[in-house]
Amino acid sequence: MRFLLIEDNAPLASAVVDRLSLDGHVVDHAPDLETARDFSATTAYDMILLDIMLPDGDGSSFLAHHRSRENGAPIIVLTARSEVSDRISLLDQGADDYMVKPIDFAELEARCRAVLRRRDSGPGTGSRTLGTIRFDPASGTLGVGGRDIQLRTRELRLFEILINAPGMIFSKSALVDRLFSYDEDVSENAIEVYVARLRKHLGGSDVAITTVRGLGYKLEQM
């Protein structure tokens, strides 16, 4: 998943980035609203973590603008405001959830998973099945032929993208954009490496990652 973190507190932002990166997520950090608007105008995010009190304005304005564009990326607000009325106002403006600072990182991860589950498939475990395979993003396992394969972080995030949209073609550049942050200097050849690993894991199943010449890759049941 690719996250946009809008937070001006540098130590907190660094801690959030480090924690989410350990799970294989890509996190772009914007310390102010201007940077956040630039990032969101050019990049599709799976999740936005939004501070409200920012050096160049109120994060509520970003929330309102984001929702006016009918952008589907969910937003979790990180706020120091603990009054019930403030939290109700944020939810009414379109926030999907909120957390009051100081933040517990385990709770933040759990809330992110819950919001993404609601967006993707409603209540449930978040597991996916396609043909004879079963994928559980929470545990990072791919079930093939009665065995559970533990995916590495990049493999996990790449397969998560593909199985959430079976049959959809993803270009290498689009996958690089989803899997790596602006700070990482990565070529499109890296995608070929991860695709090769996933194809090996899928051997013996009725699901394959197909190359569409000149366009990219798609996951499909054969």
Side-chain angles (χ1 to χ4, degrees):
M1 295 291 181
R2 187 158 190 164
F3 287 70
L4 173 59
L5 170 63
I6 309 171
E7 170 62 63
D8 66 323
N9 183 312
L12 174 59
S14 178
V16 172
V17 170
D18 289 346
R19 183 63 179 255
L20 293 175
S21 297
L22 284 174
D23 286 336
H25 299 296
V26 176
V27 186
D28 293 322
H29 171 222
D32 51 49
L33 289 174
E34 181 180 4
T35 306
R37 293 189 185 105
D38 289 342
F39 282 174
S40 64
T42 58
T43 304
Y45 290 99
D46 299 293
M47 171 73 72
I48 296 174
L49 305 177
L50 172 64
D51 184 21
I52 290 299
M53 301 175 67
L54 293 160
D56 56 347
D58 191 317
S60 297
S61 63
F62 179 91
L63 175 59
H65 177 68
H66 181 76
R67 288 301 177 226
S68 71
R69 297 167 55 198
E70 297 184 353
N71 189 310
I75 293 181
I76 296 179
V77 171
L78 311 178
T79 178
R81 302 172 183 172
S82 58
E83 293 295 327
V84 173
S85 59
D86 290 328
R87 287 176 275 168
I88 291 173
S89 176
L90 291 168
L91 292 171
D92 284 343
Q93 290 176 61
D96 295 273
D97 201 351
Y98 65 87
M99 288 191 67
V100 177
K101 298 178 180 178
I103 293 169
D104 179 89
F105 294 115
E107 182 184 359
L108 175 61
E109 291 174 324
R111 287 181 179 269
C112 287
R113 289 193 299 269
V115 168
L116 290 169
R117 281 201 304 270
R118 292 200 299 268
R119 181 198 67 174
D120 293 337
S121 59
T125 63
S127 62
R128 303 283 191 276
T129 58
L130 181 64
T132 58
I133 68 166
R134 177 184 51 78
F135 173 63
D136 184 357
S139 64
T141 56
L142 176 64
V144 180
R147 58 194 176 98
D148 284 340
I149 301 166
Q150 188 69 47
L151 299 180
R152 298 177 182 177
T153 52
R154 296 292 190 191
E155 298 171 353
L156 167 62
R157 298 310 169 196
L158 174 55
F159 196 73
E160 191 171 25
I161 293 168
L162 295 173
I163 199 169
N164 280 338
M168 181 180 291
I169 300 172
F170 292 90
S171 67
K172 290 181 183 178
S173 61
L175 293 173
V176 167
D177 185 64
R178 295 284 297 275
L179 289 171
F180 300 95
S181 69
Y182 289 121
D183 296 331
E184 296 175 282
D185 184 16
V186 178
S187 74
E188 294 182 0
N189 292 337
I191 299 300
E192 297 178 7
V193 173
Y194 295 121
V195 167
R197 291 177 183 172
L198 288 174
R199 281 174 168 164
K200 185 176 180 180
H201 295 324
L202 291 169
S205 74
D206 61 351
V207 175
I209 301 174
T210 304
T211 300
V212 182
R213 181 178 288 274
L215 295 177
Y217 301 105
K218 64 177 179 178
L219 185 72
E220 60 182 347
Q221 185 177 356
M222 308 304 290

